[in-house]
Amino acid sequence: MKRKSIFTLSLLLSVLAFTSCEKNLYDESKQPQNDKTVADLVVPDGFDWKMTKNAQCTIIAKNKSAVSIYSDKECDESSMLATLQTSNETITIPLSLPAISKEAYLQYETTEGKKVVMAGVADESNTIHFALPENSKPVAQTRAEETRSGGSINYPNNGWGTIMFEDMFPSLGDYDFNDFVLAYRAQVPFYSDGNKTLIDAIQLGIQLRAIGGTLPYSPFLRLKKLPASSVEEIEVYQHFNTSVTEIEWSAGPNGEVIIDFSNLASAISKPSGSRYFNTEKEYTTTDIPELSIVIYMQEEVETQSVDFESFDFYLAKANQGTEIHLGGYEPVYDTYFSTHPNLGDDYYYSNKGLIWGLSVPAPIAHVIEKGNFLDAYTDFATWATSGGNDKADWYKGNKNSELLIKDN
């Protein structure tokens, strides 16, 4: 394709092993039992269960310098939100920040070779502003780079995110959040034309980590703000532990891009004797199906067309059947069951404010069959019942490894 040569695809998606081949048999009779499940939690009105949020970031500089932006002041690699080369113009890009955070951190190198970190706080419009000092180290320029600056945005950060679904919608289900478990990561290369930041491709990785449900759902991705008419091709350029080499995509009812990952789910091979895929402790697997994908544009679009919250991962039955989305996302083709007694007024929230899909900005372990999510992640209930204000990193805190399928 005409633009493929501008990308170094090796930047994206190193292969990660998310489970252990160790076979530790789970003995339910020996596990501590929590009388409550996620279905019993009482959460504050309006709690959206989101662990990330959209933000804008502007960078003003006089030099062409290499900088990186992080969500954590320690600037560790896993919290990297974007890397870019500044220019003598203002560059504005979308970022994905932790839901309770108002800060981002920019790291640059001075002309003396010292690395410096600047903190930026979001204003009332949720925009973080950085002004790069004049002592930032200029980068060496080639003739081809003299008029073009840019970089790459990471979603949800410089690593994998995890999406976990319950598939009993509109009923509440058992809330082990392992009926469908996906891992994903996206990199959005961009460049500045002096007025706007534009993209001509998106690099996407997706892994199918577990299927603990028996209902006939398949995973999809809607890019809510990206017109299908702007897309030239969607190519699978790498695949691991799967025979899938192509994926289907189409224009949705509003002209947006819809990517169908049904064949990734249908191509899985469950271990002999197992009922589910990678949710039974005695049948774990390291052979996680993974696709690396590039979405090529036939016309440039602005980076705002692919901000983090426009990535809508969801489940759907065949022939545009029942859909299950994260809370707050409207269905694509399905009719929302707004009259069902379990459902609230907002899309994919129950009348108690519960959800059927949970998105975590990290590659976390998922719960085994018959495991209680509240027992597996003991800080989760505090996070949910506080409306997300306490234990925001619940997935990093106390957990029961006997109830989890390891993520590495």
Side-chain angles (χ1 to χ4, degrees):
M1 306 309 296
K2 58 186 179 182
R3 295 191 178 91
K4 291 183 183 179
S5 61
I6 72 170
F7 298 104
T8 305
L9 296 180
S10 61
L11 292 176
L12 179 67
L13 307 177
S14 59
V15 184
L16 298 180
F18 285 94
T19 57
S20 169
C21 59
E22 180 183 1
K23 292 188 177 181
N24 293 323
L25 296 182
Y26 168 66
D27 186 345
E28 183 179 5
S29 66
K30 296 181 180 179
Q31 301 307 314
Q33 296 298 311
N34 193 329
D35 292 335
K36 292 185 177 181
T37 71
V38 174
D40 298 308
L41 295 179
V42 178
V43 301
D45 290 341
F47 177 47
D48 60 12
W49 299 81
K50 292 182 179 179
M51 303 187 67
T52 52
K53 64 183 177 183
N54 278 344
Q56 299 295 313
C57 180
T58 65
I59 303 101
I60 300 173
K62 295 184 178 180
N63 295 329
K64 291 183 180 292
S65 300
V67 304
S68 300
I69 303 171
Y70 301 83
S71 60
D72 187 288
K73 63 182 179 181
E74 302 301 325
C75 297
D76 61 275
E77 187 175 355
S78 64
S79 71
M80 184 185 293
L81 302 175
T83 58
L84 66 145
Q85 178 180 294
T86 63
S87 66
N88 55 3
E89 297 135 350
T90 299
I91 295 177
T92 301
I93 57 174
L95 296 178
S96 168
L97 286 182
I100 63 172
S101 174
K102 293 184 178 181
E103 295 182 333
Y105 302 87
L106 183 147
Q107 185 178 76
Y108 70 97
E109 186 176 356
T110 68
T111 51
E112 293 79 25
K114 180 182 178 181
K115 288 188 176 181
V116 177
V117 177
M118 303 171 59
V121 180
D123 60 19
E124 293 181 355
S125 66
N126 206 30
T127 301
I128 298 171
H129 303 274
F130 290 109
L132 200 63
E134 292 186 18
N135 71 336
S136 61
K137 181 180 179 179
V139 297
Q141 297 289 312
T142 67
R143 180 170 297 179
E145 294 172 330
E146 287 177 356
T147 60
R148 181 160 167 156
S149 60
S152 181
I153 305 166
N154 301 322
Y155 295 143
N157 43 49
N158 191 33
W160 294 89
T162 307
I163 298 180
M164 300 174 285
F165 285 103
E166 279 289 306
D167 68 359
M168 291 299 292
F169 176 84
S171 298
L172 295 183
D174 58 6
Y175 276 105
D176 54 14
F177 283 119
N178 72 4
D179 293 340
F180 236 103
V181 183
L182 303 170
Y184 72 96
R185 65 188 299 184
Q187 290 184 337
V188 183
F190 71 90
Y191 66 93
S192 173
D193 69 354
N195 298 306
K196 297 175 290 187
T197 52
L198 303 168
I199 69 169
D200 40 26
I202 301 169
Q203 300 171 331
L204 176 69
I206 185 167
Q207 294 180 333
L208 180 51
R209 296 252 214 100
I211 302 178
T214 58
L215 297 178
Y217 282 102
S218 294
F220 290 78
L221 169 62
R222 168 173 58 180
L223 295 170
K224 293 182 60 177
K225 299 180 182 179
L226 181 63
S229 59
S230 298
V231 174
E232 180 178 20
E233 180 187 14
I234 300 181
E235 176 188 40
V236 175
Y237 73 89
Q238 287 179 312
H239 62 104
F240 308 97
N241 302 316
T242 180
S243 59
V244 174
T245 58
E246 296 181 350
I247 51 97
E248 299 291 331
W249 66 281
S250 61
N254 296 312
E256 72 275 43
V257 172
I258 306 290
I259 304 177
D260 182 348
F261 293 106
S262 298
N263 57 350
L264 184 62
S266 62
I268 63 168
S269 178
K270 293 185 291 187
S272 177
S274 64
R275 183 180 181 188
Y276 307 104
F277 176 68
N278 204 32
T279 65
E280 298 150 292
K281 201 77 170 183
E282 63 270 36
Y283 296 112
T284 59
T285 179
T286 57
D287 295 332
I288 302 300
E290 178 182 335
L291 298 178
S292 302
I293 297 165
V294 180
I295 305 171
Y296 293 103
M297 308 299 166
Q298 61 182 357
E299 58 184 35
E300 290 88 350
V301 299
E302 294 191 46
T303 54
Q304 305 305 322
S305 299
V306 289
D307 62 24
F308 177 71
E309 291 186 5
S310 67
F311 283 71
D312 174 19
F313 286 97
Y314 67 99
L315 303 181
K317 291 183 178 178
N319 302 316
Q320 300 177 3
T322 303
E323 299 175 17
I324 305 175
H325 292 252
L326 300 177
Y329 286 90
E330 72 278 8
V332 180
Y333 297 103
D334 193 15
T335 300
Y336 188 70
F337 301 93
S338 58
T339 59
H340 192 281
N342 279 341
L343 295 185
D345 295 331
D346 296 327
Y347 291 123
Y348 299 97
Y349 291 105
S350 79
N351 55 11
K352 293 177 56 180
L354 302 177
I355 51 172
W356 285 266
L358 180 65
S359 179
V360 181
I364 75 167
H366 57 274
V367 176
I368 63 173
E369 286 304 309
K370 298 183 179 180
N372 187 328
F373 200 88
L374 300 185
D375 287 335
Y377 287 102
T378 56
D379 291 336
F380 181 81
T382 300
W383 172 74
T385 56
S386 71
N389 293 314
D390 296 334
K391 301 293 185 179
D393 291 340
W394 56 265
Y395 53 94
K396 297 179 182 178
N398 297 324
K399 46 186 173 283
N400 184 345
S401 61
E402 289 300 312
L403 299 176
L404 295 169
I405 304 294
K406 295 180 181 180
D407 63 315
N408 52 38

